[in-house]
Amino acid sequence: MEMTEFKELRERVILVGVQQVAGDDTEESVRELGELADTAGAEVVGQVIQRRENIHPGTYIGKGKIDEVRQLMWELDATGIICDDELSPAQMNNLQQELDCKVMDRTLLILDIFARHAVSREGKIQVELAQLRYRAARLAGLGNSLSRLGGGIGTRGPGEKKLEMDRRMIRTRISHLKKELEEVIRHRELIRSQRRKTEQKIVALVGYTSVGKSAIFRTLTGADVLEDAKLFATLDTTTRGIRISGSQEILLTDTVGFIRKLPHHLVDAFKSTLEEVCCADILVHVVDSASVQMEAQMHVVYETLRDLEADKKPVITVFNKQDLLLLEEKHGFRDYRAEQSISGSAHTGEGMEELRQAISDLLRAQKIYIERLYSYDKAGLIQLIRKKGELLEEKYQEDGIFVRAYVPESIYMSV
Ligand SMILES: Nc1nc2c(ncn2[C@@H]2O[C@H](COP(=O)(O)OP(=O)(O)OP(=O)(O)O)[C@@H](O)[C@H]2O)c(=O)[nH]1
Ligand SMILES: [Mg+2]
């Protein structure tokens, strides 16, 4: 089937969720789904949450609820629904038949947002692959659903490219993308091994989405990375070398925000963008201290870090957005899982110097302090210290060069 250009109508959607346990986080999850829909450019016109013990295997929600949704769609003039969990191909098909409208789910929505935010070649390939796999499994139901509006959520590929719908084309495209991905990964490995040789320390900013990681990255680097109120503004890790204090240099890397209920095959697809987290020496956990969901979000972050097997790394937690708090709310922010807690604001700059200092101190703790006198014919060793360690002082004396420095363990024995 050929996709032609359509003018994009603003979709009017109803959110549909299932609460399996009373008092669980379904409501918060559906609220977040609404934000995701907004990020994807749709208008949320209503919401339906069904309490039932199990998700209906055939239609996601029960028969009675379907009737209720159908009625609501009509009343609110909605163009589609978005379910808060990933629908099976059968559920998508059945709902589509029952409701005769565009049926979407959380995964389709997240993929759509990812598609528009992916920046790097690798990010784009990963997103397109995930989209095509999702699509290939649901071609029948999804095909009807997507042709209904001609465009909108679910039809956008990386770089606003329209997606093709034909099964055979999908297969060819997938195998092509896989080859390209291998190539990109090989290249990245190369760069990474070079980076390891120079012993540069890597500090990664992690945290829930929209907490201000990119804002802090910007403040620390002066770099122009995308900072956006929309969810998932950062899809690819961005890495910059910065001087953290004195002659101490680090690679600072910004990462994509974590989120609850990120579908598992997506976690896999995007692990590569989070690999920076796995090879980091220090994690800076950014928290939105103005959010009522702060604790829950921190929990999701630590769970995700455990999934990534990065939960043993030293953490500095920054309680960001302090500027949004009233004076009496600014008290005792402390994360007991972290080496250090800092209250700050990327916007006012509060706490940023403290953060630099904390990173610097932690890195120093991982290095060994030396005070030595080198004869002039050993000057080459000082060059090595300068390159791999942190030279604090060098004094040219009659009897040689006096050096104070922090050196990494790897060269401690040889200098
Ligand atoms: N008031 C206030 N707003 C902030 C602060 N830091 C970030 N923001 C705002 O919070 C929103 C999200 O900031 P980002 O830096 O894009 O958040 P992020 O954590 O990088 O988000 P993702 O990349 O989507 O994971 C933006 O609208 C920022 O302007 C802060 O210290 N104070
Ligand atoms: Mg960001």
Side-chain angles (χ1 to χ4, degrees):
M1 186 175 101
E2 269 256 309
M3 295 278 298
T4 35
E5 290 296 317
F6 292 92
K7 92 170 173 315
E8 301 231 328
L9 293 167
R10 189 150 156 86
E11 297 173 60
R12 296 168 57 81
V13 299
I14 293 177
L15 310 177
V16 182
V18 174
Q19 181 164 52
Q20 291 170 272
V21 181
D24 66 6
D25 64 351
T26 305
E27 270 173 43
E28 175 55 24
S29 181
V30 170
R31 191 197 58 74
E32 195 173 80
L33 187 72
E35 275 178 45
L36 290 168
D38 181 59
T39 300
E43 186 179 351
V44 177
V45 293
Q47 125 178 5
V48 173
I49 293 181
Q50 175 167 41
R51 292 192 178 78
R52 55 178 293 144
E53 229 162 88
N54 290 305
I55 285 175
H56 193 290
T59 49
Y60 184 60
I61 46 175
K63 180 89 187 74
K65 263 303 184 240
I66 293 182
D67 292 339
E68 192 183 310
V69 171
R70 190 184 298 114
Q71 178 67 23
L72 201 61
M73 298 227 24
W74 186 78
E75 278 167 24
L76 298 170
D77 194 22
T79 57
I81 63 164
I82 307 181
C83 300
D84 193 36
D85 296 274
E86 182 168 319
L87 298 176
S88 71
Q91 286 169 332
M92 185 164 265
N93 246 326
N94 295 337
L95 275 178
Q96 154 85 33
Q97 305 247 307
E98 289 279 346
L99 292 170
D100 194 28
C101 75
K102 181 169 175 181
V103 176
M104 295 161 275
D105 63 9
R106 197 174 234 267
T107 307
L108 185 74
L109 192 56
I110 291 176
L111 280 172
D112 190 82
I113 298 172
F114 276 18
R116 283 192 288 166
H117 286 295
V119 187
S120 74
R121 188 152 153 246
E122 181 175 358
K124 285 183 176 157
I125 297 173
Q126 296 275 23
V127 178
E128 199 179 339
L129 267 177
Q131 276 185 319
L132 291 175
R133 289 196 180 115
Y134 175 89
R135 228 157 234 281
R138 293 171 179 75
L139 213 50
L142 202 61
N144 288 336
S145 243
L146 298 184
S147 59
R148 190 162 290 273
L149 265 183
I153 295 167
T155 61
R156 293 171 285 229
E160 299 287 316
K161 191 166 32 183
K162 293 277 187 217
L163 293 172
E164 300 287 346
M165 307 291 289
D166 177 86
R167 200 182 286 273
R168 190 178 47 83
M169 285 187 68
I170 289 182
R171 261 203 312 269
T172 323
R173 183 81 186 139
I174 285 183
S175 67
H176 172 80
L177 285 175
K178 273 188 181 159
K179 277 202 206 89
E180 202 173 329
L181 189 63
E182 275 169 27
E183 199 50 46
V184 173
I185 288 174
R186 212 176 8 251
H187 181 73
R188 194 192 54 209
E189 283 307 317
L190 201 74
I191 292 181
R192 216 162 257 168
S193 68
Q194 277 166 356
R195 186 191 283 176
R196 230 165 288 154
K197 265 186 234 148
T198 61
E199 309 252 350
Q200 288 245 47
K201 293 290 180 186
I202 300 172
V203 178
L205 292 161
V206 298
Y208 206 74
T209 186
S210 270
V211 295
K213 297 179 295 297
S214 297
I216 289 182
F217 184 80
R218 266 231 303 226
T219 312
L220 292 181
T221 60
D224 197 17
V225 286
L226 203 60
E227 172 195 330
D228 206 316
K230 302 279 185 195
L231 296 172
F232 293 123
T234 312
L235 202 61
D236 290 285
T237 47
T238 326
T239 303
R240 292 268 151 79
I242 62 164
R243 192 171 296 261
I244 199 79
S245 75
S247 64
Q248 216 174 4
E249 282 181 12
I250 58 157
L251 289 170
L252 186 68
T253 160
D254 186 14
T255 66
V256 56
F258 302 161
I259 187 170
R260 84 190 74 216
K261 274 203 198 176
L262 188 65
H264 263 286
H265 61 270
L266 273 190
V267 176
D268 280 346
F270 291 93
K271 245 191 184 149
S272 70
T273 64
L274 289 172
E275 255 172 41
E276 305 287 340
V277 172
C278 302
C279 60
D281 299 285
I282 293 177
L283 301 178
V284 173
H285 178 186
V286 183
V287 173
D288 179 353
S289 45
S291 165
V292 289
Q293 288 294 320
M294 184 183 86
E295 293 285 343
Q297 294 182 348
M298 289 174 77
H299 182 69
V300 172
V301 170
Y302 282 112
E303 291 277 287
T304 313
L305 286 177
R306 215 177 51 203
D307 283 350
L308 293 169
E309 290 169 16
D311 54 339
K312 297 282 185 298
K313 295 179 188 292
V315 173
I316 300 168
T317 297
V318 178
F319 290 89
N320 192 35
K321 305 199 187 180
Q322 292 284 320
D323 57 298
L324 295 179
L325 299 178
L326 299 168
L327 200 58
E328 59 267 30
E329 293 170 327
K330 293 187 175 201
H331 55 77
F333 283 102
R334 214 188 138 81
D335 177 4
Y336 289 97
R337 284 159 293 201
E339 308 285 322
Q340 198 175 332
S341 300
I342 294 169
S343 295
S345 159
H347 281 192
T348 63
E350 175 191 346
M352 293 301 119
E353 206 36 58
E354 209 183 323
L355 174 59
R356 280 173 179 275
Q357 195 56 50
I359 294 172
S360 163
D361 290 348
L362 253 185
L363 286 176
R364 271 190 186 149
Q366 297 173 356
K367 285 183 185 161
I368 304 162
Y369 180 75
I370 57 166
E371 268 183 27
R372 272 178 207 171
L373 185 70
Y374 292 94
S375 58
Y376 279 96
D377 62 325
K378 294 269 170 58
L381 288 177
I382 298 173
Q383 201 48 38
L384 184 67
I385 294 173
R386 204 195 307 275
K387 214 168 131 200
K388 300 208 163 176
E390 185 192 351
L391 196 59
L392 299 174
E393 187 185 1
E394 61 181 326
K395 250 193 323 218
Y396 289 81
Q397 302 169 173
E398 229 162 272
D399 50 348
I401 309 167
F402 174 74
V403 164
R404 290 195 311 117
Y406 285 99
V407 296
E409 215 172 327
S410 61
I411 66 164
Y412 178 71
M413 297 304 280
S414 41
V415 294

